[in-house]
């Protein structure tokens, strides 16, 4: 009897162990992340793990040698053991400092503008909503992005500083980081496609645990952009277009693989430098541009000129271009905020659908007859 009981207990133990193993997922399954929540941007990824998220910024600036990994965890969760990261950040963040105007529209779209407590160069901010916060003293001036007032910034004691940098050398942000204030980098400006730039709203959505709202907002922008692109394809003509402007005897023109060139292509126009590739801008002699582009139908520019007289003052040779002769020059410099900030540089990256509609209205006015441009305005006399 004892032998039978012993065998019975052994069998029972094996069955219980089998049941237990069947119910418990493997460790690898328990920590398996979600799919990357980013669709079109190439500079960052966002994955959800049980209890935390991993936000990885691959291109904080051009030619960055290393990516930055940010672990985002909530107050009720512990930082996982053996996790590899550069900065661990508790979310939702209670407040923050941002360093680029391109960050402002995302905060507004997520309804967290009041969380912004510091910014370098407040006059560059154009949004009426955020300017009200500035005027009421809720947002502090912290110098210029290249030369932050680190003393003021440190005294603000933000939960996080969202940095903008053109290379790995940023002594101001390094100083702030050494005080224990978390610094994370946003590289939205390195994206080369309109939708890629706009998707960085998900970067801020993760910081405030507003991932669903960020995704919903982005999907709405993407849908509007793709619809506008399809509308542009119905145009009967395809005008020739140039961009850029002269500076110190060189004409700086967007490369054909730039986000500016992508807008022109998607607006169903022929960008005359579409075959070029590179980072930054083409640097061309005036004679070269005149030879290739004298008969361009339109000139859309991010230059500082606002009138045709400005063009004449800069160079009388501009008058040789068909676009100037026929008054088809458009600039973003005429749409500014209350303190002179150019709205395009702030809102344009977040709302590529509006940029595209502007250009469709300019190149194919019959397709958007009652549309009023937001960014690109015709030069005045």
């Amino acid at each position: 009897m004892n032998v039978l009981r012993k065998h019975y207990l052994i069998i029972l133990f094996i069955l219980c162990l089998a049941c237990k193993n069947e119910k418990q997922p493997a460790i690898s399954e328990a920590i398996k992340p979600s799919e990357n929540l980013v669709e079109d941007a190439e500079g960052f990824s966002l994955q959800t793990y049980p209890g935390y998220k991993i936000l990885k910024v691959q291109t904080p600036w051009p030619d960055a040698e290393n990516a930055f990994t940010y672990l985002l965890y909530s107050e009720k969760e512990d930082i996982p053991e053996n996790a590899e990261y550069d900065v661990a950040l508790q979310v939702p963040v209670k407040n923050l400092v941002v360093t680029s105007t391109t960050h402002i529209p995302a905060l507004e779209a997520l309804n967290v503008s009041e969380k912004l407590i510091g910014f370098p160069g407040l006059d560059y901010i154009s949004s009426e909503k955020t300017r009200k916060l500035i005027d009421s003293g809720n947002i502090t001036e912290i110098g210029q992005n290249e030369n932050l007032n680190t003393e003021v910034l440190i005294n603000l004691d933000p939960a996080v500083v969202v940095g903008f940098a053109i290379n790995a050398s940023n002594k101001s942000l390094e100083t702030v980081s050494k005080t224990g204030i978390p610094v994370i980098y946003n590289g939205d400006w390195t994206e080369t496609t309109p939708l890629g730039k706009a998707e960085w709203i998900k970067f801020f959505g993760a910081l405030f645990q507003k991932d669903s709202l960020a995704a919903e907002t982005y999907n709405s922008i993407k849908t509007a952009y793709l619809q506008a692109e399809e509308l542009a394809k119905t145009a009967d003509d395809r005008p020739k277009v140039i961009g850029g402007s002269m500076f110190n005897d060189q004409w700086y023109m967007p490369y054909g693989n730039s986000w500016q060139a992508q807008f022109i292509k998607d607006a169903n126009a022929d960008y005359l430098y579409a075959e070029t590739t590179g980072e930054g801008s083409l640097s061309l002699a005036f004679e070269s541009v005149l030879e290739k582009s004298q008969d361009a139908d339109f000139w859309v520019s991010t230059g500082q000129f606002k009138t045709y007289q400005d063009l004449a003052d800069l160079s009388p040779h501009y008058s040789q271009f068909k676009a100037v002769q026929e008054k088809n020059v458009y600039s973003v410099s005429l749409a500014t905020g209350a303190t002179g900030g150019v709205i395009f540089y702030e809102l344009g990256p977040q709302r590529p659908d509006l940029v595209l509609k502007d250009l469709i209205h300019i190149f194919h006015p019959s397709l958007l007859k009652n549309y009023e441009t937001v960014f690109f305005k015709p030069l005045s006399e």
Side-chain angles (χ1 to χ4, degrees):
M1 182 68 70
N2 290 337
V3 173
L4 290 175
R5 180 179 295 177
K6 184 177 181 179
H7 286 171
Y8 172 78
L9 291 174
I10 291 173
I11 293 171
L12 182 62
F13 174 77
I14 292 173
L15 289 173
C16 290
L17 183 61
C19 292
K20 182 178 180 181
N21 289 338
E22 182 179 344
K23 293 179 181 179
Q24 295 297 322
I27 294 176
S28 60
E29 294 176 353
I31 62 173
K32 184 178 180 180
S34 67
E35 294 294 326
N36 181 17
L37 302 178
V38 178
E39 303 170 8
D40 298 296
E42 296 183 352
F44 80 108
S45 62
L46 180 62
Q47 292 180 300
T48 299
Y49 291 77
Y52 65 99
K53 291 186 177 69
I54 290 294
L55 173 63
K56 181 172 288 188
V57 177
Q58 286 94 343
T59 53
W61 49 78
D63 301 320
E65 294 182 359
N66 300 303
F68 287 94
T69 300
Y70 306 120
L71 188 149
L72 311 179
Y73 67 99
S74 64
E75 183 179 8
K76 296 180 181 180
E77 301 291 342
D78 295 323
I79 298 177
E81 295 182 5
N82 302 322
E84 297 182 358
Y85 55 87
D86 294 291
V87 175
L89 186 65
Q90 184 175 309
V91 293
V93 296
K94 63 179 181 180
N95 55 40
L96 80 169
V97 165
V98 301
T99 53
S100 171
T101 55
T102 61
H103 305 159
I104 302 299
L107 299 181
E108 293 188 355
L110 297 173
N111 302 314
V112 291
S113 299
E114 73 284 355
K115 303 296 184 181
L116 179 62
I117 60 173
F119 185 85
L122 290 176
D123 285 349
Y124 289 108
I125 296 178
S126 300
S127 165
E128 293 182 5
K129 182 176 182 179
T130 301
R131 290 227 60 85
K132 289 180 180 178
L133 294 172
I134 295 170
D135 295 340
S136 63
N138 292 328
I139 304 175
T140 300
E141 174 66 69
I142 57 170
Q144 298 298 320
N145 191 55
E146 301 82 6
N147 188 23
L148 298 177
N149 188 326
T150 53
E151 182 178 354
V152 172
L153 176 52
I154 292 169
N155 286 337
L156 283 176
D157 192 28
V160 64
V161 175
V162 178
F164 159 80
I166 60 175
N167 54 47
S169 178
N170 193 310
K171 294 182 179 179
S172 296
L173 292 178
E174 289 174 5
T175 299
V176 172
S177 182
K178 289 177 182 178
T179 68
I181 296 174
V183 174
I184 64 176
Y185 286 95
N186 179 296
D188 58 0
W189 67 285
T190 66
E191 296 287 340
T192 59
T193 65
L195 291 177
K197 286 182 182 289
E199 195 170 15
W200 280 78
I201 190 173
K202 294 180 180 179
F203 173 101
F204 288 100
L207 299 187
F208 291 97
Q209 291 189 325
K210 292 200 171 190
D211 303 272
S212 295
L213 179 57
E216 179 183 339
T217 303
Y218 174 68
N219 289 339
S220 176
I221 292 169
K222 182 175 180 177
T223 297
Y225 188 95
L226 296 177
Q227 288 176 344
E229 184 181 1
E230 288 301 311
L231 175 65
K233 291 178 181 178
T234 66
D236 295 328
D237 61 334
R238 188 177 172 84
K240 295 182 291 185
V241 181
I242 58 171
S245 61
M246 292 284 291
F247 181 75
N248 289 341
D249 298 326
Q250 290 291 303
W251 193 308
Y252 291 92
M253 193 83 67
Y255 276 106
N257 62 330
S258 67
W259 78 302
Q260 298 100 317
Q262 187 68 48
F263 280 123
I264 296 172
K265 176 184 177 182
D266 291 345
N268 196 13
D270 180 17
Y271 179 51
L272 294 181
Y273 293 84
E275 78 285 355
T276 62
T277 60
E279 295 181 353
S281 299
L282 285 161
S283 179
L284 304 167
F286 177 86
E287 293 77 14
S288 170
V289 178
L290 181 65
E291 180 180 0
K292 183 179 180 69
S293 311
Q294 185 173 7
D295 293 330
D297 300 294
F298 293 93
W299 176 9
V300 291
S301 176
T302 55
Q304 296 301 309
F305 45 80
K306 298 181 179 181
T307 69
Y308 285 98
Q309 186 59 51
D310 289 341
L311 283 183
D313 292 342
L314 288 170
S315 173
H317 301 298
Y318 279 137
S319 63
Q320 299 179 63
F321 286 86
K322 175 184 175 182
V324 175
Q325 296 168 0
E326 297 186 356
K327 300 295 188 290
N328 280 328
V329 182
Y330 292 79
S331 173
V332 298
S333 296
L334 288 91
T336 60
T339 52
V342 178
I343 295 173
F344 174 78
Y345 298 128
E346 179 177 315
L347 184 60
Q350 183 63 60
R351 292 300 306 272
D353 55 320
L354 300 181
V355 179
L356 183 57
K357 288 179 181 179
D358 274 13
L359 296 179
I360 292 173
H361 177 72
I362 292 169
F363 302 150
H364 313 291
S366 63
L367 297 182
L368 290 172
K369 293 181 180 180
N370 299 318
Y371 180 80
E372 182 177 350
T373 58
V374 178
F375 307 108
F376 286 96
K377 305 291 183 181
L379 299 194
S380 55
E381 294 293 337

